[in-house]
Amino acid sequence: MIHKLHTLLEESFEEMVSIRRYLHQHPEVSFQETKTAAYIANFYRQLGIETRTGVGGNGVVARISGSRPGRTVALRADFDALPIQDEKDVPYKSTVPGVMHACGHDGHTSALLMLANAVHALKDDLEGEYVFIHQHAEEYAPGGAKPMIEDGCLEGVDAIFGTHLWATVPTGTIQYRFGPIMAAADRFEIKIQGRGGHGAQPHKTKDAIVAASQLVLELQQIVSRRISPIEPAVVTVASFVAENAFNIIADRANLIGTVRTFNDDVRDFIESEIEKVVKGICLSSDCSYEYTYTRGYPAVVPHDEQTKHVVESAGMVAEVTSIEEMEPDMGGEDFAYYLQNVKGTFFFTGAKAAGVEVIYPHHHPKFDFDEKAMLIAAKTLGTAAITYQVDSKVSTGT
């Protein structure tokens, strides 16, 4: 059965590439993916596959049942793009100004669509049910996963598998991790209110820029001096805005940044510690402040049993040349919510083409990936889903 699945996917590779390039040319940002959702739904409906649209927003869920009873396995792909101008010189360059697929979600979607096509062709020989979750709005919190779950996309699901094409890792590599694989991703905003004035008379002002500058430096000590060095954490100030003419002392300054953690206790500590630092600096500077901390996605924590299963499944894919346990990544992913509700795992599929000298990372205006990685992703996901039926029999003694 696995051989048949792989053969069907190989035969559909050209169509997989064609779909990916169409989606790449017609991207839509988070929460605005109406045309993309319609495209996905139309694909399933043309095959006569049961499909729900508008799931938790713009989500699409398709279900394919085998001819015999068994477990229900879900597979997920995201399909939103980013507000970035596409700067690549390729025939499939984005046609939408200021919007592009800069993270591989077009590849995720195409791989899952063609996998569903193959599973549909084999359904009379399969057991169990296969749920294909096409998720909107992964890139922008609060994301699409949580509302899709609340709208029933995991109903009856026994396990879920997901992958991310990773353009900085060689094609043919599958990366997994036992334990947290991606971090909780939070956002903070700090508004410093001082008292502006003439640049020649600083003694009559309360300089918001000086206070905010001290804050930027002091925040770095939260991780370096107040958290155990064996606990991964990141505090990044990503935006510092205090625009004025050259001879005006700033009345206010706004800082925006992100916090990345794996441990919930560390997450709580950093949230409170940031305000402690802000309060102290503003007290010494005689400024006031507003502090907002917004919890984003939780850490992505795969389940060991399903992770081991994916490792074994990847070993059955001819194009996989390396299977390796990776270090935790500080990026965020709302796949975390699925894993909080059902057992499953999340892994990375290498998508760096051999011989390419310059690799542009995810979220870069020239981002691209090796399209052969889509076939590897589809084969690995499909193998994991189908063989999970067999594994479940063994584990239950049936």
Side-chain angles (χ1 to χ4, degrees):
M1 184 57 61
I2 298 304
H3 176 71
K4 289 182 180 179
L5 175 74
H6 291 184
T7 299
L8 286 171
L9 288 170
E10 289 163 7
E11 292 173 349
S12 67
F13 180 64
E14 287 188 11
E15 185 176 358
M16 191 182 294
V17 171
S18 177
I19 291 173
R20 181 259 166 160
R21 294 188 176 189
Y22 173 82
L23 294 172
H24 198 85
Q25 289 180 295
H26 302 87
E28 295 176 298
V29 295
S30 302
F31 299 107
Q32 299 178 29
E33 322 93 325
T34 54
K35 293 180 180 178
T36 307
Y39 178 91
I40 294 167
N42 185 60
F43 177 91
Y44 283 107
R45 285 168 178 161
Q46 287 184 335
L47 293 174
I49 296 172
E50 176 190 348
T51 307
R52 281 184 65 206
T53 59
V55 182
N58 292 327
V60 180
V61 178
R63 289 179 176 255
I64 300 174
S65 296
S67 61
R68 301 182 301 280
R71 294 287 184 92
T72 299
V73 180
L75 304 168
R76 173 269 205 172
D78 39 19
F79 59 82
D80 55 326
L82 286 154
I84 299 174
Q85 179 64 42
D86 193 349
E87 296 181 0
K88 294 190 302 300
D89 184 17
V90 294
Y92 51 89
K93 181 178 181 178
S94 171
T95 61
V96 182
V99 182
M100 72 171 288
H101 276 288
C103 203
H105 296 187
D106 50 341
H108 300 167
T109 301
S110 181
L112 194 62
L113 287 174
M114 297 317 299
L115 175 56
N117 182 63
V119 170
H120 180 64
L122 298 171
K123 66 179 182 177
D124 290 341
D125 298 318
L126 295 176
E127 56 192 73
E129 186 172 29
Y130 301 85
V131 182
F132 297 87
I133 298 174
H134 291 272
Q135 184 204 308
H136 61 297
E138 184 278 329
E139 294 286 2
Y140 197 83
K146 194 172 182 180
M148 287 192 72
I149 293 168
E150 292 169 350
D151 200 7
C153 75
L154 292 180
E155 184 176 347
V157 170
D158 296 299
I160 186 167
F161 299 98
T163 190
H164 202 304
L165 298 176
W166 215 239
T168 56
V169 173
T171 301
T173 302
I174 294 294
Q175 292 188 324
Y176 66 94
R177 181 170 174 78
F178 290 106
I181 191 170
M182 300 188 79
D186 300 335
R187 181 184 190 274
F188 65 85
E189 183 171 1
I190 302 165
K191 297 179 180 180
I192 305 294
Q193 182 65 56
R195 185 172 66 206
H198 200 290
Q201 297 177 324
H203 59 294
K204 296 181 179 180
T205 70
K206 300 173 184 178
D207 195 330
I209 287 181
V210 171
S213 297
Q214 290 176 319
L215 179 56
V216 170
L217 295 176
E218 185 66 22
L219 288 176
Q220 307 312 306
Q221 294 191 42
I222 293 177
V223 173
S224 67
R225 289 297 179 269
R226 304 177 199 182
I227 293 174
S228 168
I230 63 174
E231 287 286 358
V234 171
V235 176
T236 293
V237 176
S239 175
F240 187 139
V241 178
E243 292 183 302
N244 276 307
F246 81 98
N247 59 348
I248 297 175
I249 289 176
D251 182 60
R252 67 184 63 185
N254 292 344
L255 305 179
I256 300 175
T258 187
V259 173
R260 305 299 171 105
T261 56
F262 292 103
N263 185 309
D264 284 341
D265 290 339
V266 172
R267 191 182 195 186
D268 294 340
F269 176 80
I270 291 178
E271 179 178 356
S272 62
E273 202 69 8
I274 289 176
E275 183 162 25
K276 186 187 296 183
V277 172
V278 175
K279 185 175 182 179
I281 287 176
C282 285
L283 180 63
S284 65
S285 303
D286 199 18
C287 293
S288 60
Y289 71 91
E290 293 181 23
Y291 169 56
T292 304
Y293 192 97
T294 304
R295 296 265 172 146
Y297 306 149
V300 179
V301 185
H303 296 259
D304 288 353
E305 177 188 342
Q306 286 69 33
T307 300
K308 181 175 181 292
H309 180 74
V310 160
V311 171
E312 294 170 350
S313 299
M316 301 170 68
V317 177
E319 294 85 353
V320 173
T321 56
S322 177
I323 304 171
E324 56 190 41
E325 185 163 11
M326 62 182 283
E327 295 296 320
D329 189 282
M330 300 307 287
E333 242 283 359
D334 67 351
F335 195 86
Y337 292 118
Y338 298 110
L339 297 178
Q340 288 183 341
N341 284 268
V342 298
K343 291 183 177 181
T345 196
F346 190 74
F347 62 96
F348 288 79
T349 301
K352 174 185 175 183
V356 177
E357 294 183 4
V358 180
I359 300 297
Y360 296 100
H362 296 250
H363 295 208
H364 189 283
K366 292 186 178 181
F367 171 83
D368 208 350
F369 62 84
D370 183 0
E371 291 174 324
K372 294 177 183 177
M374 296 188 297
L375 179 60
I376 297 174
K379 283 187 174 184
T380 305
L381 285 171
T383 302
I386 290 174
T387 57
Y388 191 73
Q389 302 290 347
V390 177
D391 276 10
S392 68
K393 285 183 177 182
V394 173
S395 63
T396 59
T398 56

